[in-house]
Amino acid sequence: MTTTERQEKAVRELLQIAESVYDQLDHGDIPQMNLSLRSKKNIEFDPRKNVWTYGGLTANRSAKTIKGATLMLRTLHMVDFIRDMIDNKHSSTLREMYYISEGWGNGKFHSQDESNLLAEDLEIVSRCMREDFKLRPEEDGARVIGDLTIIETDRKGKRKTINCRDDVGDSGYSIPYNVDKEKIEMKSAGADFIIAIETGGMFDRLVENGFDEQSNALLVHLKGQPARSTRRFMKRLNEEMGLPVVVFTDGDPWSFRIFASIAYGAIKTAHISDYLATPSAEYVGITSSDILNYDLPSDKLSDQDVAALKSELNDPRFNDEFWRSEIEAMLQMGKKAEQQALAKYGLDFVTDTYLPEKLSQMGILF
Amino acid sequence: MHSDDGITKKAEPPRKRSIANDLAGKQQEISVTEFFEKNKHILGFDSRSKALLMGIKEAVDNSLDACEEAGILPDISVSVERTEEDEEYRITIEDNGPGIVHHMMPNVFGRLLFGSRFHAQRQSRGQQGIGISATVMYGNITTGKSARVMSKIEEEDTAWVMDITVDTKKNRPNVNNDNPFIWPDKVHGTRIEYYIRGRYIKGKQSVFEYLKNTAIVNPHAELTYTDPEGKRYLFARATSRLPPKSKEVKPHIHGLEIGDMMRLARDSKQKTLRNFLKNDFSRISDRVANDILEISVLNGEMKTSSLTRDNCRDLVNAVSMVKIMAPPTDCLSPIGEDLIKKGLKHVLEGHRPEYYAPPVTRAPRVANGNAFVIEAGIVYGGELKSEGQVTILRFANRVPLLYQQGACVITKAVESIDWRNYGLEQRGGKGIPYGPAIILVHIASTKVPFTSEGKEAVANIEEIGKEISLALRLCARSLKGHLNKKERKKKTRAKFDVVQQILPEIAQKSATMLGRPVPSLDSTITKIMNVVWVEPFSTTGKKGLRNLRYNIYNYTTTPKSFMLHSVLPKSCLNETIMSDILLEVTEEGKTTWKVEALPPAACLELEFQLDGELSDVFEESDIFVSGLNPAMIMGADQLPGDWGIKGMDISESDSYVDEEEEEIEEEILDDDD
């Protein structure tokens, strides 16, 4: 489908929401909307696509409560706004939409989170992507450095061939918010694998130490929880160029969730997991055993850390032997460690010793 | 000790005798006045700031008492002025009381323990007659200046003015400049002007606070206050109803100690024991006297004067086993539930409290032979300060108690209640609670058992504490009821917002988007609400006039018939109460309206006025419904069973579905962009 076709479909789907609400009111009923329940209680493994998606549980949004009614009103305003943007070939950021909602009467957003969540709700209802609605996130995707050549169609419609190692500065190539095939074409990859790194400090360390060339790796900076475009970018490289993905994060419960959203799909976006997740991604570390084996400097787990770990124990995505033992081990020792704790053994330790050791265990490096 | 034999040893000085003689020479009567002069704290003059307040308090209490006795609505003005001298103030208190006859003026103002009330069993503010003369004395001592007193009685054309000091040695007044004068525009009244060394403070124990609290429990008084900065405050009269005059009564025999009994027997004019019992105590009938005599095994014909200590002990023991009617209550003058509310409202309205718990006046009880009545009230919310402990307003015989809060039975009773059950915060369920509330307790008694002559705290007597606790619990229950109601209201309000605002916006927006006509919402609205909603509105017009309106919506799918009930202050009703749906108004003001077949989605407006002094006492949310399933009423309560009027039976069986099926909360993990 072309962009225009997808957008027409999006408008049609969205208008059906308005029509359904109208018809229910016209019949004298209490209007309702049914949405997939977006909670870890309702994610299931889809063996065909190899990712976690929403199950059959739905949440009923009824206009009977203030919350439900407000949401419904908001949805109508948003649908109208999206239709308007598509008609006028505009696009807006989620943050702009938050401000535009000032004029929506009782439907206005009270926080940006609300507008983000609703945008995702509409994706679920309309089975279209947020990008089709011409809504973009506030920040772009992350940085990439390594031997990868892409062709990007820029804002003036000009096709530019870019090598992500040779044609960019030290801060790398920046992944745009839209990484659709029409925007970016993957041309060739000299790199053997992708290493996705949580923190900027570690990314820069690997760049400075020349890890991309030394190990023929494509370095991707996640900036904490990776943006949708970053995840989509990695998935395309994995699928189209056959590059394995490994994830290198801090050793704490939140980092485990970063990995889960890359490999299994995030709970919030489980409706498009097959579009964003890379099921074959693997976790390098920092693992609980790394903290012990490498005797890394560590911090005590906070109450929130402990609660997050416990919550992960009943998250179906973590329900395998590797993660159970990692989580339980961390709970048991009560400690967490940062990636950069590896600097205890010198700045080169991570690239000379730690990663080569770990990656060869995983069969990525030899 | 004395040697006659000439062998004079070195003479031992007759030391002991000499000292005894010395002492005998020094020993003399210490007058009561001198005693109090040396022990000023006993009268409450123990600090400079307190001294300033105590003097005013004594004078104002006397004025209020005098006005009440004379059946006059009090107008009292108080002013505090700084003089040139450091820490010296000139205090002036003027009233419109009956005045004091000329020859009594010196004694009233210049002699301690001179008064008419000490022996009387009746409720009054001043009890010992120490107050005002002690103030004059304290003023004399600290400034060296005399007090100037003016008074006029109605029967005479001239008023008298004189300067008074207290001779502390003799406890007698010294009078100077005693002159008659013409007091323009004064029919009767008294004015005292004195100088005092003191410290003027603001806040909890200030003159202003004392007068404000006095105004609360004396809504019939008008108080004017001019502070040292020259700022004038007026606490206007809230009611022209004078408190009923309290009567003198004989003591009640319950709770007397052996010594009390001996003293009363000694002073009695009754010849025989039987007559002593029957005539010197209240509520002792022949039968009761017989019972007491029988149990104590004493002869009713024995002479009262020959009662021994052991006889008295037997009497006291016997009395405790006999059931005796409570003392007559007309010796007490409780403020009354309406007037407490009135007083509170009048003085506190600036804080816009959201709730005045209906005040409680308990039935009279007896402690130590004295009748007492406990009254309590709670004010909650609005702009009352919400941080810190609640404010406790303590009163004894309509006098505010500002000092020694911790030692007072009122405070102890407040502390002993677990206020968490009633919607206030309290650490560990003990101690003074926290929150935006004022707790008022009034003890009215023929003799308030103060902990000291300063009359600052009431002694911790079990019977009194228990009564306070009971009264407070009643108020607290009302408060809890209000808080529950408020919570329910919030929920109702939320639904109301849905159907009144959001739903119409949804209809409008979806219609515009699709280019279709806006759909009618009646049916959807009734399905969402499924209640009869009563919404009160109240506006205040000119003095004493209140406009009340109730909007009654039928947000259900069928026509509804039911009754509305309320208790209205009867004295405030006027012709506006008449309407097609009014069914009856009873003697007590219980009012019933009958609504017949109100169609779905329809709204009925019920409007009337309250006009009169008690109009502001009515709480507009006190509206009740009968004839409907309680689950289908919002904004009103179901008619309580104890009203003694017949409500409407529930005629139709509304299948009520619990509407509170909550949406399944969505738990979002923050693991995404």
Side-chain angles (χ1 to χ4, degrees), chain A residues 22 61 80 106 231 267 269, chain B residues 505 509 517 666 669 672:
Chain A
Y22 182 92
R61 296 239 169 100
D80 201 29
N106 279 300
R231 283 184 277 152
I267 291 172
T269 53
Chain B
E505 282 182 37
K509 185 76 195 170
E666 299 177 32
L669 298 177
D672 207 11

Side-chain angles (χ1 to χ4, degrees), chain A residues 115-184:
Chain A
S115 59
N116 296 359
L117 284 172
L118 184 53
E120 285 153 6
D121 281 347
L122 291 182
E123 289 184 325
I124 299 173
V125 176
S126 67
R127 287 177 304 261
C128 294
M129 298 280 289
R130 187 169 76 185
E131 288 73 7
D132 300 330
F133 307 152
K134 312 271 270 183
L135 287 174
R136 49 194 161 82
E138 187 66 12
E139 320 143 342
D140 288 339
R143 302 182 280 157
V144 175
I145 279 190
D147 188 4
L148 166 73
T149 308
I150 56 156
I151 302 169
E152 180 179 336
T153 306
D154 73 8
R155 62 202 172 281
K156 291 172 186 150
K158 214 172 130 196
R159 281 162 61 84
K160 280 183 181 160
T161 305
I162 300 167
N163 181 282
C164 299
R165 184 184 60 197
D166 301 335
D167 301 337
V168 297
D170 287 352
S171 56
Y173 171 72
S174 187
I175 303 173
Y177 82 91
N178 176 5
V179 291
D180 281 343
K181 289 186 176 144
E182 288 171 13
K183 172 80 179 163
I184 288 177

Side-chain angles (χ1 to χ4, degrees), chain B residues 312-341:
Chain B
C312 288
R313 181 198 58 207
D314 294 345
L315 274 178
V316 167
N317 289 341
V319 160
S320 68
M321 285 181 266
V322 177
K323 207 170 149 49
I324 305 169
M325 263 181 83
T329 58
D330 48 3
C331 57
L332 295 177
S333 148
I335 305 163
E337 293 167 1
D338 282 352
L339 285 183
I340 291 179
K341 189 160 176 186

Side-chain angles (χ1 to χ4, degrees), chain B residues 573-593:
Chain B
L573 292 181
N574 60 22
E575 72 288 347
T576 57
I577 194 70
M578 298 309 298
S579 75
D580 295 344
I581 60 168
L582 182 73
L583 200 66
E584 66 161 348
V585 183
T586 68
E587 273 311 299
E588 307 119 287
K590 288 176 182 162
T591 309
T592 301
W593 296 269

